Amino acid sequence: MMTYQLIQSLSEAQPNAHLIARPTSQQLPDTALINEMRATGNMADTCFGCAPYKRITLIPSVLWQDNLTDGLLNALRPLFTTPVSSHVIIDVREIHETVLLQVLRFLFNQVHRLDDLQLKTTDNATIRLDHITALCLPEQQEALEEIFRRQQAIANGMVAARRLADMPSEQCTPQFVVEEAQRLCAAYPDLRCEVLDEQAIVAQGLGLLHAVGKGSSRSPRLLAIHYDGVSSGPVRSYVGKGITFDTGGLWLKEGAGMYTMKYDMCGAANVLGLMLSIAGLALPVRVMGVLALAENAIGPDAMQPGNVARACNGMTVEINNTDAEGRLVLADAIAWASQRHKETRYIIDLATLTGAVVKALGYELSGLMTQDSALRAALTVAGEQSGDRVWSLPLDAHLKKQTESAIADLCNTPTNNAAISASAAWLLHHFCPATIPWAHLDVSGTALWREGGRSVASGRPIPLLMQHLLNDLAVEESPSE
């Protein structure tokens, strides 16, 4: 567990820490070294002659206010690849609030590395960050205490999601995800897990989820995590795509396209992490997280192009592409979630659904698709506040032809290969009743952090969803005009 403290003077800081500040910081020691570092006008970093600190890094002031291009984060990342101290001191007296949230989550996320999976021989003597000291003004302290508490809880959920998603799919099967979720949720009395095995999935009519998972020897699961922070009130529901490995099925992917497909369950992993963050903050709210878990494999029982499967809401879908399996499991899980509670405030699903959203928005923005203007606005604002931003794509009846089928109610992919991301969302909207606000987040670009030719789980969009939930609770609790 990483610890933190707030101080108002560098004299209170522990020695041998890594000091990170703006060149204009008035609390920096007046030494020849500091003056030389300031004079560069650029980022300056040294591990020599900087006692009582182990390392000093001065980052240009403009980056501390850059809430658009992640400038400060990009400057920090290389510094923590090989830390020189387990303690960091960071001057937060003049920093944009969104940048502060991003930086805190980044630092708290340092508790997880790929080495922790114990699949690689490593040097156990590697230094790990375990304490954050923040230099602040007296008038900032009370607000910062709450900010630190919240961001650490959010980061804890991100870490749980990242650890799960980073595991090889041979280990991280649908049943393993269930067992890991049960283990993690057991630490919180207000969390309880409800599991549907393959027989229950069939019995409850989740034919789309079953169609995707039946080709694998690792059978599908539906996991619902319930959080009751209050005894009554509307339920906020989150649904995550949990394809623990995606071969593409009989519509087989090429090898290069299959390499990162263990991460096709990031949506489900992030729903689990979100639930842990909510429970960690003991929020006064009722929430349900639904994880649709399956492996899209090739085998004698694998779904075939042209098959028709029926969802638990009675709608039928022609499967004209077995590599468009994510929207199938999501559709069933959304329909199931919509039927689970009489009063649902909203349903938000998240999925690494389409490569097309990456072509449209790149790796920094999640695609947002919804027909509910209030939910769209609230998620957009939460994205800007948290630094985990979204961009809205169109979703209306002009997409209707993209999902038309001659043999079933819907088909799972458009035959013209156009508007792939929005067409998938158009399919999904049929499975949430119009009375329940619903939004779809395509996180294919943002669920992974890509650096040096490698990809690892990022834990996004947990920060976005937590900020949205906190904002929504504040609105709900505010007195009506």
Side-chain angles (χ1 to χ4, degrees), residues 204-208 309-317 331-332 334-336 338-339 409-410 427-433:
Q204 295 196 26
L206 285 88
L208 303 185
R310 187 180 299 274
C312 66
N313 70 345
M315 296 196 75
T316 56
V317 180
D332 243 346
I334 291 167
W336 187 88
S338 72
Q339 299 166 2
D409 296 323
L410 302 161
L427 172 82
L428 294 176
H429 104 278
H430 291 86
F431 296 86
C432 186

Side-chain angles (χ1 to χ4, degrees), residues 230-309:
V230 290
S231 58
S232 61
V235 175
R236 293 155 169 88
S237 293
Y238 302 89
V239 176
K241 171 189 172 184
I243 301 298
T244 55
F245 194 81
D246 182 18
T247 66
L250 295 182
W251 203 294
L252 188 66
K253 295 178 184 289
E254 61 178 18
M258 213 183 295
Y259 179 67
T260 59
M261 284 301 106
K262 72 175 185 178
Y263 290 112
D264 214 15
M265 45 71 71
C266 280
N270 289 331
V271 168
L272 169 60
L274 176 68
M275 299 301 292
L276 295 172
S277 293
I278 293 169
L281 288 173
L283 295 180
V285 65
R286 297 178 68 206
V287 183
M288 179 174 69
V290 180
L291 286 64
L293 302 165
E295 181 181 78
N296 188 21
I298 296 175
D301 296 323
M303 59 180 172
Q304 300 168 329
N307 284 6
V308 174

Side-chain angles (χ1 to χ4, degrees), residues 110 186-187 210 234 439:
Q110 296 306 303
H210 184 250

